[in-house]
Short mmCIF file of all heavy atoms in Angstrom, two decimals:
data_model
loop_
_atom_site.label_atom_id
_atom_site.label_comp_id
_atom_site.label_asym_id
_atom_site.label_seq_id
_atom_site.Cartn_x
_atom_site.Cartn_y
_atom_site.Cartn_z
N VAL A 58 47.92 77.62 -8.44
CA VAL A 58 47.50 77.20 -9.80
C VAL A 58 46.46 76.12 -9.67
O VAL A 58 46.64 75.09 -9.03
CB VAL A 58 48.70 76.70 -10.61
CG1 VAL A 58 48.21 76.23 -12.01
CG2 VAL A 58 49.77 77.78 -10.73
N GLU A 59 45.31 76.31 -10.31
CA GLU A 59 44.23 75.35 -10.29
C GLU A 59 44.50 74.17 -11.14
O GLU A 59 45.35 74.25 -12.10
CB GLU A 59 42.90 76.02 -10.72
CG GLU A 59 42.49 77.18 -9.87
CD GLU A 59 42.27 76.84 -8.37
OE1 GLU A 59 41.91 75.69 -8.07
OE2 GLU A 59 42.50 77.73 -7.53
N SER A 60 43.83 73.03 -10.87
CA SER A 60 44.07 71.79 -11.58
C SER A 60 44.02 71.95 -13.09
O SER A 60 44.81 71.38 -13.89
CB SER A 60 43.12 70.68 -11.09
OG SER A 60 43.29 70.43 -9.76
N GLU A 61 42.97 72.64 -13.59
CA GLU A 61 42.77 72.75 -15.00
C GLU A 61 43.89 73.55 -15.72
O GLU A 61 44.08 73.47 -16.94
CB GLU A 61 41.43 73.42 -15.35
CG GLU A 61 41.28 74.81 -14.84
CD GLU A 61 40.66 74.87 -13.43
OE1 GLU A 61 40.65 73.81 -12.71
OE2 GLU A 61 40.14 75.95 -13.05
N ASP A 62 44.68 74.27 -14.99
CA ASP A 62 45.77 75.06 -15.58
C ASP A 62 47.12 74.34 -15.46
O ASP A 62 48.14 74.92 -15.88
CB ASP A 62 45.86 76.44 -14.90
CG ASP A 62 44.61 77.33 -15.20
OD1 ASP A 62 44.13 77.20 -16.36
OD2 ASP A 62 44.16 77.98 -14.31
N LYS A 63 47.16 73.16 -14.92
CA LYS A 63 48.41 72.47 -14.74
C LYS A 63 48.68 71.62 -16.03
O LYS A 63 47.73 70.94 -16.52
CB LYS A 63 48.38 71.54 -13.54
CG LYS A 63 48.22 72.22 -12.18
CD LYS A 63 48.01 71.23 -11.10
CE LYS A 63 47.73 71.92 -9.76
NZ LYS A 63 47.46 70.93 -8.66
N VAL A 64 49.87 71.64 -16.55
CA VAL A 64 50.23 70.86 -17.65
C VAL A 64 51.69 70.51 -17.58
O VAL A 64 52.55 71.23 -17.00
CB VAL A 64 49.96 71.66 -18.99
CG1 VAL A 64 50.83 72.88 -19.09
CG2 VAL A 64 50.16 70.78 -20.20
N ARG A 65 52.07 69.35 -18.14
CA ARG A 65 53.46 68.94 -18.14
C ARG A 65 54.27 69.77 -19.12
O ARG A 65 53.77 70.11 -20.22
CB ARG A 65 53.57 67.48 -18.45
CG ARG A 65 53.11 66.53 -17.38
CD ARG A 65 53.33 65.07 -17.79
NE ARG A 65 53.00 64.15 -16.65
CZ ARG A 65 51.81 63.76 -16.36
NH1 ARG A 65 50.74 64.13 -17.07
NH2 ARG A 65 51.64 62.88 -15.36
N GLY A 66 55.50 70.04 -18.77
CA GLY A 66 56.40 70.81 -19.64
C GLY A 66 57.85 70.23 -19.60
O GLY A 66 58.26 69.82 -18.52
N TYR A 67 58.50 70.21 -20.71
CA TYR A 67 59.89 69.73 -20.81
C TYR A 67 60.78 70.93 -20.96
O TYR A 67 60.54 71.76 -21.87
CB TYR A 67 60.07 68.76 -21.97
CG TYR A 67 61.51 68.21 -22.07
CD1 TYR A 67 61.97 67.14 -21.28
CD2 TYR A 67 62.45 68.85 -22.88
CE1 TYR A 67 63.21 66.66 -21.35
CE2 TYR A 67 63.75 68.39 -22.98
CZ TYR A 67 64.10 67.27 -22.18
OH TYR A 67 65.41 66.85 -22.25
N GLU A 68 61.79 71.07 -20.11
CA GLU A 68 62.67 72.24 -20.16
C GLU A 68 63.69 72.10 -21.28
O GLU A 68 64.60 71.24 -21.22
CB GLU A 68 63.36 72.43 -18.78
CG GLU A 68 64.10 73.79 -18.69
CD GLU A 68 64.58 74.04 -17.26
OE1 GLU A 68 64.86 73.13 -16.54
OE2 GLU A 68 64.73 75.23 -16.95
N LEU A 69 63.52 72.94 -22.27
CA LEU A 69 64.52 72.93 -23.44
C LEU A 69 65.76 73.63 -23.04
O LEU A 69 66.88 73.20 -23.41
CB LEU A 69 63.88 73.63 -24.61
CG LEU A 69 62.58 72.94 -25.19
CD1 LEU A 69 61.99 73.85 -26.27
CD2 LEU A 69 62.90 71.56 -25.73
N ARG A 70 65.63 74.78 -22.35
CA ARG A 70 66.82 75.48 -21.87
C ARG A 70 66.31 76.22 -20.59
O ARG A 70 65.12 76.21 -20.30
CB ARG A 70 67.41 76.46 -22.89
CG ARG A 70 66.41 77.43 -23.48
CD ARG A 70 67.02 78.26 -24.55
NE ARG A 70 66.11 79.24 -25.13
CZ ARG A 70 65.30 78.93 -26.13
NH1 ARG A 70 65.30 77.77 -26.67
NH2 ARG A 70 64.45 79.95 -26.58
N LYS A 71 67.15 76.88 -19.89
CA LYS A 71 66.82 77.49 -18.64
C LYS A 71 65.59 78.42 -18.78
O LYS A 71 65.60 79.40 -19.47
CB LYS A 71 68.02 78.32 -18.12
CG LYS A 71 67.79 78.86 -16.69
CD LYS A 71 67.76 77.77 -15.69
CE LYS A 71 67.74 78.39 -14.25
NZ LYS A 71 67.63 77.36 -13.24
N GLY A 72 64.52 77.99 -18.08
CA GLY A 72 63.24 78.81 -18.10
C GLY A 72 62.38 78.72 -19.34
O GLY A 72 61.36 79.35 -19.42
N LYS A 73 62.78 77.85 -20.32
CA LYS A 73 62.04 77.78 -21.57
C LYS A 73 61.54 76.35 -21.64
O LYS A 73 62.27 75.38 -21.71
CB LYS A 73 62.94 78.05 -22.80
CG LYS A 73 62.23 78.00 -24.13
CD LYS A 73 61.13 78.97 -24.29
CE LYS A 73 60.50 78.87 -25.68
NZ LYS A 73 59.36 79.86 -25.84
N TYR A 74 60.17 76.19 -21.67
CA TYR A 74 59.56 74.88 -21.69
C TYR A 74 58.70 74.65 -22.92
O TYR A 74 58.17 75.64 -23.45
CB TYR A 74 58.65 74.76 -20.42
CG TYR A 74 59.39 74.80 -19.12
CD1 TYR A 74 59.62 76.05 -18.49
CD2 TYR A 74 59.81 73.68 -18.47
CE1 TYR A 74 60.32 76.16 -17.30
CE2 TYR A 74 60.53 73.71 -17.30
CZ TYR A 74 60.77 75.00 -16.66
OH TYR A 74 61.42 75.09 -15.51
N VAL A 75 58.62 73.42 -23.33
CA VAL A 75 57.65 73.05 -24.29
C VAL A 75 56.51 72.25 -23.64
O VAL A 75 56.78 71.31 -22.89
CB VAL A 75 58.23 72.16 -25.47
CG1 VAL A 75 58.95 70.97 -24.89
CG2 VAL A 75 57.26 71.82 -26.50
N GLU A 76 55.25 72.61 -23.87
CA GLU A 76 54.12 72.01 -23.23
C GLU A 76 53.82 70.64 -23.88
O GLU A 76 53.82 70.56 -25.15
CB GLU A 76 52.90 72.88 -23.19
CG GLU A 76 53.04 74.14 -22.34
CD GLU A 76 51.78 74.95 -22.38
OE1 GLU A 76 50.76 74.48 -22.90
OE2 GLU A 76 51.78 76.07 -21.87
N ILE A 77 53.50 69.61 -23.10
CA ILE A 77 53.13 68.33 -23.60
C ILE A 77 51.76 68.04 -23.02
O ILE A 77 51.54 67.88 -21.83
CB ILE A 77 54.09 67.22 -23.14
CG1 ILE A 77 55.51 67.59 -23.55
CG2 ILE A 77 53.68 65.88 -23.71
CD1 ILE A 77 55.75 67.68 -25.02
#
Side-chain angles (χ1 to χ4, degrees):
V58 180
E59 301 301 331
S60 297
E61 61 269 18
D62 293 324
K63 297 175 186 175
V64 64
R65 287 181 173 85
Y67 181 84
E68 191 171 26
L69 298 173
R70 55 184 181 273
K71 187 68 174 177
K73 180 65 176 178
Y74 297 87
V75 57
E76 293 183 8
I77 305 295

